[in-house]
Amino acid sequence: MIWPRFAPVEVMVEMQFVSGFEEMHEQMSGYKRMRREHQAHLVKLEEKCKVDMEAHKTALDKEYDTLLHNFTRDLERLETKHQQDVERRSKQTSAAEKKLHKEITLKQEGDRKVYDLNRKKEYKANKERWKRELSMDESTPKRQRDLTLQSQKDNLKQHEAQEEQRMLQAQKQYIELEMRKFKRKRMIMQHEHEDQQLRDELGKKEQQLQQAHEMLVRHHEKTQELEYRQQKSVHQLREEQINKQHDTELHNQKDYMDRIKKELVRKHAVELRQQPKSLKQQKELQIRKQFRETCKTQTKQYKRYKAQVLQTTPKDQQKEVIKQLKEEKHRKLTLLGEQYEQSIADMFQSQSYKLDESQVIECQRTHEQLEYELEMLTAYQNKNKKQAQEQRDRERRELENRVSVRRGLLENKMDAELQQFNQERLERLHMKREKHTKELEAFDNESIALGFSTLSLVEVSREAYADEEGSLSGSMISLAHSNSSTSFPAGSL
């Protein structure tokens, strides 16, 4: 700002006040504009972080839902496979049972045919033997011999009928026993198969539970990483904004201090320029008076020196010497005049910046006030930075606590789910064992009611049939325990 050359001090102060107020208003407007920009940037960043977090959570939920859907489909496929296995094994068991019954029946029919053939041969042999024995006894009447032969035939036929009936009953009991053994063994095999299916299902669920827990932990870690990264970006932006604001405040404060100092110098210079002119003229006259007195003294000294030099100088050289002395005198007086003119100029220049005591005190107070304001601003900024750092540390601790609590809740949830699964597994295994035990007991009780002992059911079967899905292998049915024709040796009747 250019001040008028002879403007009053009051006018200068008023103009300085107006200029300072305008500049302060401009600075405050700049601060407000900066805060609005900073707030807008911060809101924009926070909104972006919020959108990113929502998208992140949506993606994680979708991934988790997809995993659960895949789990459901896997369990459905496993259940379908188990059901198909049960139906297939049921059909195989039914076919194996029919095949075993057929094979035993065929073997028994063959045994009966052999038995009938042997019985007929034995009957014919016995008949011939009886006839021969009776024919040798001529003392017995023929009618008596015929009655005796007929009686023996009737007894033999009756005995054979009883033995045949006993054999049929033994074959019936044998086939019923073997079929009960077969059914019991197949029931045990079905129980083992159901146990294995249950273990497969529980193992599959346990594996799925572990996979789900691993995904939840991975999601927690990804969310934690995103939260820390977002908080770091927000804190970094806040810190940059605070540093920028503080730099601007310091820059404006230093500009303000420089401006105040320059305005104070201008004010003092104007005050000095507005001093009375008579005071300056009086000082100038004193300097010029000193200059004239010095010139007179120099002239007197020159005359005495000239007289001394002419006395010792020849006449033919005196003109040349006088000319040199005049030139030397003129040169020295000119140099002396220039020195006094410079002294006058220096006097005016020094008076322009020579401050009185009140102005010196004012400068000192202004300097102290400006330094105090700078210290206050620096202290305020340091306090603001400290508070901002404390707020960031507090937000970090709060986030760490939230993450820790969320991790604890997640671990508790996983432990509860695992404990619930283990409890469910124990209950299902226990229920399955009880079910199988009751079914086997009911079967054994039914067998006892049918006349079979439990010991006979657990004996190794004399029939050879596949334990698993293979076909039944043929075998010869032993009837050693039955009463066949070999049970009647010749002559026993």
Side-chain angles (χ1 to χ4, degrees), residues 64 67-68 71 205-221 407 410-419 421:
Y64 188 69
L67 182 66
L68 295 182
F71 286 168
K205 288 185 176 181
E206 183 178 12
Q207 181 183 3
Q208 291 178 350
L209 185 62
Q210 292 176 355
Q211 292 178 359
H213 287 176
E214 290 174 358
M215 178 173 288
L216 290 176
V217 172
R218 187 170 67 253
H219 287 180
H220 169 78
E221 293 175 351
R407 181 59 181 263
L410 177 60
E411 291 179 352
N412 292 336
K413 176 189 174 186
M414 293 190 297
D415 291 340
E417 290 179 351
L418 185 59
Q419 185 176 1
F421 171 77

Side-chain angles (χ1 to χ4, degrees), residues 343-392:
S343 298
I344 294 173
D346 293 340
M347 183 268 297
F348 283 112
Q349 185 70 21
S350 62
Q351 283 187 352
S352 300
Y353 295 95
K354 186 177 181 181
L355 304 179
D356 55 17
E357 184 177 357
S358 62
Q359 291 174 337
V360 172
I361 295 174
E362 185 179 5
C363 286
Q364 185 176 359
R365 289 179 178 177
T366 302
H367 180 73
E368 293 176 354
Q369 179 65 25
L370 293 177
E371 291 296 328
Y372 174 73
E373 292 177 358
L374 181 61
E375 291 176 359
M376 290 295 293
L377 176 61
T378 304
Y380 171 76
Q381 289 180 347
N382 292 333
K383 181 180 178 181
N384 194 3
K385 286 183 179 180
K386 183 178 179 181
Q387 292 176 350
Q389 184 63 37
E390 291 176 353
Q391 180 181 358
R392 290 193 293 270

Side-chain angles (χ1 to χ4, degrees), residues 213-253:
H213 287 176
E214 290 174 358
M215 178 173 288
L216 290 176
V217 172
R218 187 170 67 253
H219 287 180
H220 169 78
E221 293 175 351
K222 287 184 177 179
T223 303
Q224 170 185 340
E225 181 182 356
L226 180 60
E227 287 177 336
Y228 284 151
R229 188 167 61 250
Q230 289 182 349
Q231 187 185 68
K232 182 179 180 181
S233 62
V234 172
H235 286 177
Q236 185 176 359
L237 178 60
R238 288 179 181 174
E239 188 174 4
E240 291 176 355
Q241 290 176 351
I242 291 177
N243 292 334
K244 182 178 179 182
Q245 179 179 345
H246 288 176
D247 292 341
T248 304
E249 290 174 351
L250 287 175
H251 183 266
N252 292 338
Q253 180 66 21

Side-chain angles (χ1 to χ4, degrees), residues 137-152:
D137 187 9
E138 295 179 353
S139 62
T140 304
K142 183 176 182 300
R143 181 177 177 83
Q144 183 69 27
R145 291 196 303 268
D146 292 340
L147 291 174
T148 301
L149 178 62
Q150 186 63 36
S151 176
Q152 290 178 344

Side-chain angles (χ1 to χ4, degrees), residues 9 266-275 359 362:
V9 177
R266 292 195 193 99
K267 174 186 174 185
H268 291 169
V270 170
E271 289 177 352
L272 290 175
R273 283 198 299 269
Q274 289 180 348
Q275 289 180 356
Q359 291 174 337
E362 185 179 5

Side-chain angles (χ1 to χ4, degrees), residues 370-477:
L370 293 177
E371 291 296 328
Y372 174 73
E373 292 177 358
L374 181 61
E375 291 176 359
M376 290 295 293
L377 176 61
T378 304
Y380 171 76
Q381 289 180 347
N382 292 333
K383 181 180 178 181
N384 194 3
K385 286 183 179 180
K386 183 178 179 181
Q387 292 176 350
Q389 184 63 37
E390 291 176 353
Q391 180 181 358
R392 290 193 293 270
D393 295 339
R394 183 171 61 254
E395 290 176 355
R396 289 192 190 98
R397 289 193 299 270
E398 291 175 354
L399 178 58
E400 291 175 356
N401 290 334
R402 289 198 302 272
V403 170
S404 177
V405 170
R406 192 167 65 240
R407 181 59 181 263
L409 293 176
L410 177 60
E411 291 179 352
N412 292 336
K413 176 189 174 186
M414 293 190 297
D415 291 340
E417 290 179 351
L418 185 59
Q419 185 176 1
Q420 181 181 359
F421 171 77
N422 291 330
Q423 184 66 25
E424 178 185 355
R425 175 168 56 188
L426 292 176
E427 291 178 356
R428 293 190 63 182
L429 291 174
H430 180 68
M431 291 173 61
K432 183 65 70 173
R433 283 194 297 270
E434 286 186 347
K435 177 176 176 291
H436 292 168
T437 302
K438 290 180 180 178
E439 289 179 354
L440 190 59
E441 288 178 354
F443 183 85
D444 291 342
N445 291 333
E446 182 182 356
S447 299
I448 293 174
L450 293 175
F452 301 102
S453 65
T454 306
L455 183 62
S456 64
L457 293 176
V458 298
E459 287 180 351
V460 179
S461 175
R462 288 190 291 269
E463 298 297 325
Y465 49 83
D467 292 339
E468 297 295 337
E469 299 177 0
S471 61
L472 291 172
S473 60
S475 63
M476 296 300 293
I477 300 177

Side-chain angles (χ1 to χ4, degrees), residues 30-48 234 237-238 240-242 244-245 391:
Y31 289 151
K32 291 181 180 179
R33 184 168 58 254
M34 181 187 297
R35 291 192 186 97
R36 286 196 299 269
E37 292 176 355
H38 288 177
Q39 186 65 23
H41 292 163
L42 188 60
V43 170
K44 184 177 179 180
L45 178 59
E46 291 177 348
E47 187 66 24
K48 181 179 179 299
V234 172
L237 178 60
R238 288 179 181 174
E240 291 176 355
Q241 290 176 351
I242 291 177
K244 182 178 179 182
Q245 179 179 345
Q391 180 181 358

